Amino acid sequence: MQRPVNGFSKLSKQQKIEWIAKECTQDPEKTKKLLEKYWNADTDLQKTHDEFIENTLSNFYLPYAVAPNFLINEQLLAIPMTIEESSVVAAASKAAKFWLTKGGFKTEVLGTEKIGQVHFMYHGQKNKLVKLIDALQPKFMADTAAITKNMNKRGGGISAINLIDKTDQLEGYYQLHCTFETLDAMGANFINSCLEQFATTLENAVAIHPEFANDKPEVVMSILSNYVPNCVVRASVSCPITNTKSENSVSRTFAEKMHQAVTIAKTEPFRAVTHNKGIMNGIDAVVLATGNDFRAIEAGVHAYAAKDGKYSSLTHCTIENNEFKFWIDVPLALGTVGGLTSLHPLVKLSLEILQQPSAKELMQIIAVAGLAQNFAALRSLVTTGIQKGHMKMHLLNILNTLGANDREKEQLVALFKEQTVSNAAVTEALENLRR
């Protein structure tokens, strides 16, 4: 039985490994060898990785790939992707190739505003609070001047501080709803530092204000929001609809099926969740490869998908004047400076492959990856079905799980080119081959 451990974070890396191997695994020596196997041979680089988070034991590998042939606003890019799921990179690459001859992807940043809030409780007269917050506006800016100095020089900073009355939803609940422009930084630390100073400024003001002697606002917390409905990018594709097969167009039958598939995802939340998950396959893969926070992106995107009161599709489709158009509007709060962007070698490589994009440019690239992934999934669903392509890509995972050697893999990959891939079918085929 595992025992509690005190001061674990203060142990050396080797001591932590010894403890986890002995207390939590059946074969401690095997565990230690496995963890050490994934260490980087460059000790300085490994130390950098160790210091990303606390209690690091080893590195956890995920495949790092590229999807080529993305034509975005007339610029050709290969997009780095980090993901474990079979078929995602292949699907993105197919979508990129499909649209390469049809004008490629077009993008537009619709907004870059980010949000933070100071949440506080107040049970006194609202008009007194309104007057105080109005009077404090210059003080809020002055007290955060040291924090905002560099951001302001680059053209960013605090854009607004508004008092929001939420007492109709929770008794006594108010907030300072604050908006920011953080340029190429994701800006979480910048925003949180500003918010905490706003809270301190408010607390100091009411402490010496006689009108609030008996009913002081009480700050609960100060924190940025990962919901950024005004930090949105649009990515789109479009092409003519023709009756003849062409590299520059799509058929009416295909266009109508795609339109129906999107309409179903707009109508049915059970379908919309899986529909949007496919979008996030593309988005998260690039977010990870560029060292950004995929959990924040996921939370914000799914909130955005429910912004109209019902969870719905993030992508849209129209058929008008013999033109097929498919697009996505998606909130993406990203950074190309700060965080891991200057520390993780593969993150730096990803940004180099993407031609050192600004945060706005990265928003556009990542939106394209999500749109491409969704297009590829819907294209499969309305034509051959999703499993044919997905399971073909999953074949090698099944064969590796079954311990197939290189000769067996070669023969079975050839065999399943024309057969349906399933765990049972592959297991049986391998057993027959070994006989």
Side-chain angles (χ1 to χ4, degrees):
M1 181 181 294
Q2 192 179 131
R3 297 168 295 174
V5 56
N6 292 319
F8 186 75
S9 64
K10 295 181 174 62
L11 299 178
S12 68
K13 179 179 175 180
Q14 196 58 49
Q15 288 171 326
K16 290 168 187 167
I17 290 171
E18 291 285 348
W19 185 88
I20 206 79
K22 182 179 178 181
E23 295 292 330
C24 304
T25 69
Q26 297 294 319
D27 188 338
E29 291 305 314
K30 183 179 179 182
T31 297
K32 287 187 281 186
K33 287 179 182 177
L34 176 64
L35 292 172
E36 290 173 8
K37 188 181 292 185
Y38 284 88
W39 290 353
N40 197 291
D42 183 332
T43 54
D44 289 337
L45 182 57
Q46 183 57 53
K47 189 173 185 294
T48 298
H49 281 270
D50 286 348
E51 292 174 352
F52 286 161
I53 59 172
E54 193 174 65
N55 297 341
T56 304
L57 306 179
S58 192
N59 306 312
F60 187 93
Y61 287 2
L62 285 173
Y64 179 83
V66 293
N69 299 321
F70 275 92
L71 184 62
I72 304 175
N73 299 333
E74 306 304 322
Q75 181 184 15
L76 197 61
L77 289 174
I79 298 182
M81 306 182 88
T82 297
I83 194 166
E84 90 297 340
E85 184 172 335
S86 302
S87 79
V88 167
V89 177
S93 301
K94 282 185 178 180
K97 189 175 181 181
F98 182 92
W99 288 104
L100 185 60
T101 58
K102 299 173 179 64
F105 297 81
K106 308 299 180 187
T107 61
E108 176 187 5
V109 174
L110 305 180
T112 55
E113 182 183 86
K114 294 167 187 173
I115 293 167
Q117 296 162 325
V118 177
H119 305 270
F120 64 94
M121 310 305 289
Y122 173 66
H123 299 279
Q125 295 176 18
K126 180 181 174 181
N127 65 320
K128 291 197 302 182
L129 184 62
V130 171
K131 288 180 181 178
L132 176 67
I133 298 303
D134 285 345
L136 283 176
Q137 290 289 336
K139 183 68 170 168
F140 286 139
M141 296 301 184
D143 288 354
T144 53
I147 302 169
T148 62
K149 181 181 178 181
N150 290 334
M151 189 68 75
N152 289 340
K153 282 181 180 177
R154 297 194 294 271
I158 303 160
S159 50
I161 305 168
N162 294 308
L163 176 66
I164 305 294
D165 182 348
K166 291 277 187 175
T167 55
D168 61 329
Q169 298 174 45
L170 178 64
E171 184 181 355
Y173 172 37
Y174 291 84
Q175 60 180 237
L176 295 181
H177 185 87
C178 312
T179 54
F180 303 83
E181 292 290 344
T182 62
L183 306 175
D184 287 337
M186 188 275 173
N189 291 329
F190 169 77
I191 292 171
N192 287 335
S193 295
C194 289
L195 293 171
E196 290 182 1
Q197 181 57 59
F198 296 158
T200 299
T201 300
L202 175 60
E203 289 173 329
N204 290 342
V206 298
I208 60 172
H209 206 299
E211 284 194 80
F212 292 93
N214 299 316
D215 49 16
K216 293 179 182 178
E218 294 183 3
V219 173
V220 178
M221 56 186 169
S222 308
I223 186 70
L224 91 162
S225 174
N226 291 127
Y227 183 40
V228 285
N230 295 322
C231 185
V232 176
V233 58
R234 175 174 293 167
S236 65
V237 288
S238 62
C239 68
I241 297 169
T242 59
N243 294 323
T244 56
K245 190 174 181 180
S246 165
E247 284 192 343
N248 303 318
S249 64
V250 295
S251 71
R252 180 160 295 275
T253 299
F254 175 78
E256 288 176 348
K257 282 190 173 183
M258 290 289 286
H259 183 267
Q260 288 168 348
V262 173
T263 303
I264 288 169
K266 285 178 174 290
T267 305
E268 170 52 62
F270 282 91
R271 170 61 197 138
V273 170
T274 308
H275 177 94
N276 290 344
K277 185 270 179 184
I279 293 169
M280 299 313 294
N281 280 342
I283 288 176
D284 283 349
V286 191
V287 170
L288 274 169
T290 56
N292 278 276
D293 185 347
F294 75 93
R295 288 91 50 207
I297 296 298
E298 284 272 355
V301 167
H302 292 300
Y304 191 78
K307 66 181 170 52
D308 296 323
K310 184 182 77 170
Y311 191 89
S312 186
S313 168
L314 290 161
T315 51
H316 313 275
C317 182
T318 57
I319 299 172
E320 294 177 358
N321 301 320
N322 286 322
E323 182 185 58
F324 170 76
K325 184 176 181 181
F326 183 63
W327 77 96
I328 187 172
D329 291 348
V330 62
L332 295 171
L334 301 165
T336 55
V337 297
L340 292 185
T341 56
S342 60
L343 289 174
H344 198 299
L346 285 178
V347 168
K348 289 194 283 187
L349 177 62
S350 293
L351 295 173
E352 182 180 354
I353 290 170
L354 293 173
Q355 307 304 301
Q356 303 298 349
S358 66
K360 280 187 177 181
E361 290 166 339
L362 186 59
M363 285 174 71
Q364 295 169 76
I365 292 164
I366 290 179
V368 164
L371 184 69
Q373 200 64 38
N374 189 231
F375 176 82
L378 293 183
R379 184 186 180 197
S380 293
L381 284 168
V382 303
T383 54
T384 60
I386 201 74
Q387 282 302 90
K388 182 178 180 181
H390 179 75
M391 292 306 289
K392 291 286 187 189
M393 295 300 299
H394 196 51
L395 176 58
L396 284 176
N397 285 346
I398 298 173
L399 290 172
N400 283 328
T401 300
L402 296 173
N405 60 37
D406 289 344
R407 181 184 61 81
E408 291 167 337
K409 288 178 189 176
E410 184 178 349
Q411 293 184 55
L412 291 173
V413 166
L415 175 67
F416 279 96
K417 278 185 178 177
E418 303 302 327
Q419 293 189 34
T420 301
V421 176
S422 69
N423 278 283
V426 175
T427 300
E428 182 180 356
L430 182 59
E431 289 173 350
N432 290 338
L433 183 63
R434 286 174 172 173
R435 289 195 189 106

